[in-house]
Amino acid sequence: MKKFLIAGLALSAALSFTGCDLIIDILETAANGTSSQDITQTATESKTWVYSSDNNIFEIGPEVASVTIKNYSAAKDKTIYLVHANKSNTEIPAENLRTVQATSSVAATPVRAAAADDALEIPEFEYKYRHFVPPVDISSIEKVTGAARAASGTTLTAATPVSRTVGTTKKIYVDSNSDMDKYTSKAATLRAVGTHCNVWIVDQYYTSGDADENKASTAIAQKFATKFDEIYPYITNVFGSESDQLVTTSGSLIKMETYSDTGNIINIVLYDIGVDYTKNQNGGVLGYFYAKDYYYTGGQTYSGSNAILNYTNQGKYFYVDSGFAVSAFDTVLSTLAHEFQHMVNFGQKNIEHKTAPDTWYNEMLSMLCEDMMQEKLEIKDKDSPKARLQQFNANYYASGINEWRDGDYSVLSYSVAYAFGGWLCRQYGGAALVKAIMDNDSVNDESIVAAVNAINGTSYDWDDLFEQFLLCITGSSTYTMNQDAAQTLTWSGYTYPMTAIDLWDSAWGLTSLENEYKGSDVIYKNYNFLGPILLSSGAGTTLRPAYGFLLHGLGVATSALTKTITFNDTGSQNLTMYLIIQ
């Protein structure tokens, strides 16, 4: 059995394929996350499912030992899928998953079944950039100000405005180490001015000549100012405006126009994020917004969990990597939209509605902002969130929909959040749906459900949407992202197109056409797996919490009138299974 690496997850696996298709039979996964005891229970009940094309998904609780499918003949030649799902906040170990008993073979024709002695090493994915999720949670105003109330009263002092003349200099706090958990004050110079923004370049990352390596030029700064001014009204039309108020550590709101030295203007700061630039750099952080800058401290010093407030820039700031600004400008343009959404989201959800969005929800919205602005920014798919779909297809099981994983594992959560949000928009209203999500006074799944129902006149709950998404990624033509999103919202003639996505397109597949030999071992074989990876019926790995799931291909239905599927009778009490036929 050979070891291979799939996008940061070390796996030990046997792989099988027939012709050009493969199933990954995962035996164990090196998981990142908090493990906790998972309680098992014994299943004793039998259920009956009357299958039809309109009733093609069936939920199986932990108490169900077998399912008899009636009207099975109507499923002839359709594929049968088993889904393991975990709606709890506790991960489920692989040994607590329930599998189909060998005695209840569901079909004469297997799905992509083949020999189990072939091994494959999957190449690295092209998508190499990431956005930084600040490690200290100050997103909740109530939480932060509550912890800070023990400090003496904040003294309010009006700021001395800095000039908006190109060439003006000031000190700006920026991160100063590769872990991005230390900050220092750096001299920066204003290199371009727009209607809505200032573009600063930290002096040590500026060049008066042509932009090169991690040194940005005035021309680069001006391109950012021009593009940001261009997209500003289009984004605010959907998401709303960023807040013009600072938050004091006593919990009050004060006018940024008076108490920030840059007033209500948005500041875009270019420098080497994470101080990690190398000449052949092939990955890293593109940019970030950090809500610390929306806090006004009045010169007081903080310690412990609130120490980050000592490095607030007290204004509207987001940060862009100077090296990527030079080498991958189009990708960083998409980052402008992404990070601006975070700033707007903080104003709309945290400040206006005093809610605290989960990271998966906030990041999903930022990627949807990039998605709907892609045509306006003239960004190619490879520089857009769509590039994350290959990661989703390969590793969807490594993050729950409502989960956010830390560090290098965050790329997995990004891919799942985008796939789910991208489907929602193409299914239920495009930019108008996103506007409804932003306009309501809730967050997370509650916000999404409320918006879907408000826009579409439906009465779905979160589980309904989850099941529809499972149907989407197993090939439904009813619940699909392979259609353009509705374009009912416009700004200055732009209709926020979110084009159809075919998850089974080769652009998002795992493909190789070459054999590579190391000794007598074939490391790469000719293979072509399109769409979300299917596990064999008995395979398993740790089932992630917060609506994590695993897809299994059971077979292609034959013409039998009824079919009973029996599962092993002991498994996690948190395990939900689904049978899908389509």
Side-chain angles (χ1 to χ4, degrees):
M1 196 172 297
K2 296 180 174 68
K3 292 280 188 179
F4 65 96
L5 187 70
I6 297 184
L9 288 181
L11 305 177
S12 176
L15 300 175
S16 59
F17 61 92
T18 298
C20 291
D21 292 320
L22 61 85
I23 291 180
I24 295 186
D25 181 7
I26 300 175
L27 303 180
E28 60 181 274
T29 301
N32 153 266
T34 303
S35 61
S36 56
Q37 185 176 9
D38 186 61
I39 300 172
T40 60
Q41 75 174 61
T42 300
T44 59
E45 297 183 15
S46 298
K47 294 288 186 181
T48 298
W49 172 26
V50 182
Y51 164 78
S52 71
S53 59
D54 295 326
N55 184 31
N56 61 344
I57 182 169
F58 187 78
E59 181 177 343
I60 304 165
E63 73 285 352
V64 176
S66 65
V67 175
T68 297
I69 306 172
K70 291 191 174 181
N71 198 29
Y72 189 75
S73 59
K76 186 175 185 297
D77 298 328
K78 297 183 184 295
T79 301
I80 306 174
Y81 302 91
L82 172 68
V83 182
H84 285 122
N86 181 6
K87 302 176 185 180
S88 78
N89 291 320
T90 302
E91 62 184 26
I92 299 176
E95 61 267 24
N96 287 349
L97 301 182
R98 298 171 62 210
T99 57
V100 176
Q101 296 283 52
T103 55
S104 62
S105 175
V106 297
T109 306
V111 177
R112 304 183 181 100
D117 57 354
D118 296 301
L120 181 70
E121 186 173 297
I122 295 179
E124 292 183 5
F125 295 99
E126 182 178 355
Y127 200 90
K128 58 189 178 182
Y129 308 117
R130 61 189 176 94
H131 299 272
F132 171 60
V133 179
V136 179
D137 177 18
I138 66 164
S139 62
S140 168
I141 294 173
E142 300 285 347
K143 179 178 178 179
V144 174
T145 58
R149 287 184 198 277
S152 58
T154 303
T155 301
L156 299 180
T157 304
T160 301
V162 298
S163 171
R164 295 196 71 210
T165 302
V166 170
T168 296
T169 62
K170 67 168 290 187
K171 291 291 189 74
I172 298 176
Y173 285 113
V174 295
D175 60 85
S176 58
N177 68 337
S178 59
D179 290 333
M180 299 175 65
D181 58 5
K182 296 186 184 302
Y183 286 78
T184 189
S185 179
K186 294 280 189 179
T189 300
L190 187 59
R191 299 296 178 182
V193 173
T195 302
H196 300 287
C197 66
N198 297 324
V199 182
W200 304 83
I201 302 177
V202 172
D203 289 350
Q204 70 187 89
Y205 301 109
Y206 173 74
T207 177
S208 59
D210 294 334
D212 187 46
E213 296 190 352
N214 66 345
K215 302 292 194 300
S217 64
T218 297
I220 289 278
Q222 186 56 58
K223 287 171 73 174
F224 275 119
T226 299
K227 280 294 184 182
F228 187 76
D229 274 359
E230 182 181 340
I231 66 176
Y232 181 92
Y234 293 88
I235 293 176
T236 55
N237 182 49
V238 178
F239 291 86
S241 298
E242 77 282 6
S243 178
D244 288 337
Q245 300 180 97
L246 289 169
V247 185
T248 72
T249 52
S250 61
S252 61
L253 299 175
I254 58 176
K255 291 183 178 180
M256 195 173 288
E257 184 179 18
T258 303
Y259 295 102
S260 171
D261 63 1
T262 54
N264 291 335
I265 298 298
I266 293 168
N267 299 281
I268 302 170
V269 185
L270 276 67
Y271 66 102
D272 181 16
I273 293 176
V275 199
D276 61 355
Y277 174 79
T278 61
K279 195 161 188 175
N280 298 313
Q281 186 175 4
N282 62 2
V285 175
L286 290 168
Y288 65 94
F289 160 78
Y290 203 158
K292 69 176 177 62
D293 294 318
Y294 259 85
Y295 285 84
Y296 179 90
T297 63
Q300 293 196 54
T301 300
Y302 295 89
S303 60
S305 62
N306 288 314
I308 191 65
L309 296 180
N310 297 323
Y311 307 107
T312 172
N313 286 307
Q314 298 185 162
K316 302 177 185 179
Y317 286 80
F318 62 83
Y319 307 92
V320 173
D321 186 85
S322 56
F324 289 130
V326 173
S327 66
F329 185 78
D330 282 353
T331 304
V332 174
L333 275 185
S334 199
T335 297
L336 287 182
H338 184 110
E339 301 308 329
F340 184 43
Q341 189 288 138
H342 285 316
M343 181 180 289
V344 170
N345 195 291
F346 184 74
Q348 294 292 323
K349 295 298 186 180
N350 296 80
I351 293 180
E352 180 69 21
H353 295 303
K354 291 184 169 55
T355 55
D358 285 347
T359 300
W360 68 268
Y361 168 86
N362 203 335
E363 293 295 340
M364 180 194 74
L365 287 166
S366 276
M367 288 184 284
L368 293 179
C369 184
E370 294 180 82
D371 193 347
M372 69 179 65
M373 293 301 297
Q374 182 179 346
E375 184 174 303
K376 187 67 180 174
L377 288 169
E378 300 179 326
I379 300 297
K380 296 177 181 177
D381 282 353
K382 70 180 183 65
D383 297 316
S384 79
K386 295 189 181 88
R388 298 186 185 275
L389 293 173
Q390 188 186 35
Q391 185 80 64
F392 172 79
N393 278 341
N395 294 139
Y396 62 82
Y397 52 81
S399 179
I401 293 174
N402 296 15
E403 180 186 21
W404 195 260
R405 302 192 68 177
D406 295 331
D408 291 341
Y409 288 85
S410 67
V411 68
L412 307 172
S413 296
Y414 275 116
S415 67
V416 173
Y418 174 67
F420 182 73
W423 165 73
L424 275 174
C425 282
R426 286 157 178 81
Q427 185 76 43
Y428 286 119
L433 174 66
V434 175
K435 181 174 174 57
I437 289 172
M438 289 299 298
D439 284 349
N440 63 40
D441 61 3
S442 54
V443 293
N444 307 331
D445 48 353
E446 181 183 350
S447 172
I448 291 170
V449 168
V452 167
N453 289 335
I455 290 290
N456 297 277
T458 51
S459 55
Y460 296 132
D461 61 22
W462 185 248
D463 280 2
D464 292 330
L465 297 180
F466 176 62
E467 291 175 17
Q468 291 169 14
F469 182 61
L470 295 179
L471 289 170
C472 167
I473 62 176
T474 50
S476 172
S477 58
T478 301
Y479 301 104
T480 178
M481 63 175 70
N482 195 16
Q483 60 188 12
D484 293 345
Q487 299 176 44
T488 58
L489 196 65
T490 62
W491 180 266
S492 191
Y494 186 66
T495 57
Y496 303 96
M498 301 174 82
T499 56
I501 294 174
D502 180 2
L503 267 182
W504 286 264
D505 189 276
S506 60
W508 323 126
L510 305 176
T511 59
S512 173
L513 300 177
E514 301 294 332
N515 289 342
E516 177 185 326
Y517 292 88
K518 292 185 179 179
S520 60
D521 293 333
V522 180
I523 304 303
Y524 294 99
K525 292 202 172 212
N526 293 338
Y527 68 99
N528 180 6
F529 193 93
L530 303 179
I533 286 288
L534 295 177
L535 283 70
S536 56
S537 60
T541 185
T542 299
L543 188 56
R544 299 302 306 172
Y547 287 81
F549 57 93
L550 297 166
L551 305 178
H552 306 265
L554 296 186
V556 176
T558 59
S559 58
L561 295 178
T562 62
K563 181 67 67 174
T564 297
I565 300 177
T566 303
F567 305 93
N568 64 303
D569 60 7
T570 302
S572 170
Q573 68 172 2
N574 292 324
L575 178 65
T576 301
M577 297 189 295
Y578 294 93
L579 285 173
I580 294 174
I581 300 178
Q582 61 182 6

